[in-house]
Amino acid sequence: MKKTILLFLTILLVACSSDSTTAPDPIIGKWIIYRAVYENAVYEFEINGTCGQQSLEMPPGNYPFVTETYYANDDCSGFTANTHWEWKSEGNDSYSIYVLGQTIPERTVLLTNDEIKVTEPGSITVIKYYRRVM
């Protein structure tokens, strides 16, 4: 009888244990620009596989530095700007990108499905739209 109770408790304990893994933040991944708005001028960009004209890559939280890459042509050659920016979730699919050590966001990001809208404040407001590629 003791063995039966012990076996039952063991099965119950294993079945009820919680999964300690958490889902990754949905902003994590590589994003390719497809539209940019500078004041009232709208520019459309073609996405060429994993290239395009510009990409942002948001790595996982233990290394939160944003990588920005500008491509020169269709063969994915270009240069990568290893920024000193870090991203931070502000809740409700809203994010901020900060220059390392600063408290005022460099850019704000709004996530909807597989698209992000990046707003760059300044004397001319720039809004860039990106789609997920990975």
Side-chain angles (χ1 to χ4, degrees), residues 28-49:
I28 293 172
K30 187 174 182 180
W31 302 86
I32 301 291
I33 193 170
Y34 72 92
R35 179 182 300 132
V37 180
Y38 296 85
E39 288 296 313
N40 295 322
V42 178
Y43 300 92
E44 301 286 337
F45 301 101
E46 184 177 330
I47 294 177
N48 176 24

Side-chain angles (χ1 to χ4, degrees), residues 74-95:
D74 291 344
D75 70 355
C76 298
S77 63
F79 72 92
T80 298
N82 290 318
T83 67
H84 293 285
W85 300 338
E86 56 184 337
W87 64 269
K88 178 184 172 194
S89 175
E90 305 293 350
N92 297 324
D93 294 328
S94 180
Y95 300 82

Side-chain angles (χ1 to χ4, degrees), residues 13-21:
L13 180 65
V14 170
C16 294
S17 65
S18 64
D19 185 5
S20 63
T21 60

Side-chain angles (χ1 to χ4, degrees), residues 6-118:
L6 184 59
L7 178 62
F8 175 75
L9 289 175
T10 302
I11 292 171
L12 185 63
L13 180 65
V14 170
C16 294
S17 65
S18 64
D19 185 5
S20 63
T21 60
T22 57
D25 195 296
I27 197 81
I28 293 172
K30 187 174 182 180
W31 302 86
I32 301 291
I33 193 170
Y34 72 92
R35 179 182 300 132
V37 180
Y38 296 85
E39 288 296 313
N40 295 322
V42 178
Y43 300 92
E44 301 286 337
F45 301 101
E46 184 177 330
I47 294 177
N48 176 24
T50 59
C51 290
Q53 295 293 313
Q54 180 181 353
S55 71
L56 287 177
E57 192 162 354
M58 311 291 195
N62 59 347
Y63 182 74
F65 297 109
V66 177
T67 301
E68 187 170 38
T69 303
Y70 296 90
Y71 297 104
N73 50 41
D74 291 344
D75 70 355
C76 298
S77 63
F79 72 92
T80 298
N82 290 318
T83 67
H84 293 285
W85 300 338
E86 56 184 337
W87 64 269
K88 178 184 172 194
S89 175
E90 305 293 350
N92 297 324
D93 294 328
S94 180
Y95 300 82
S96 294
I97 296 176
Y98 294 89
V99 173
L100 192 61
Q102 299 295 313
T103 58
I104 298 172
E106 176 76 18
R107 298 175 181 179
T108 57
V109 180
L110 182 62
L111 171 69
T112 48
N113 299 321
D114 283 338
E115 175 185 271
I116 58 173
K117 175 183 171 184
V118 179

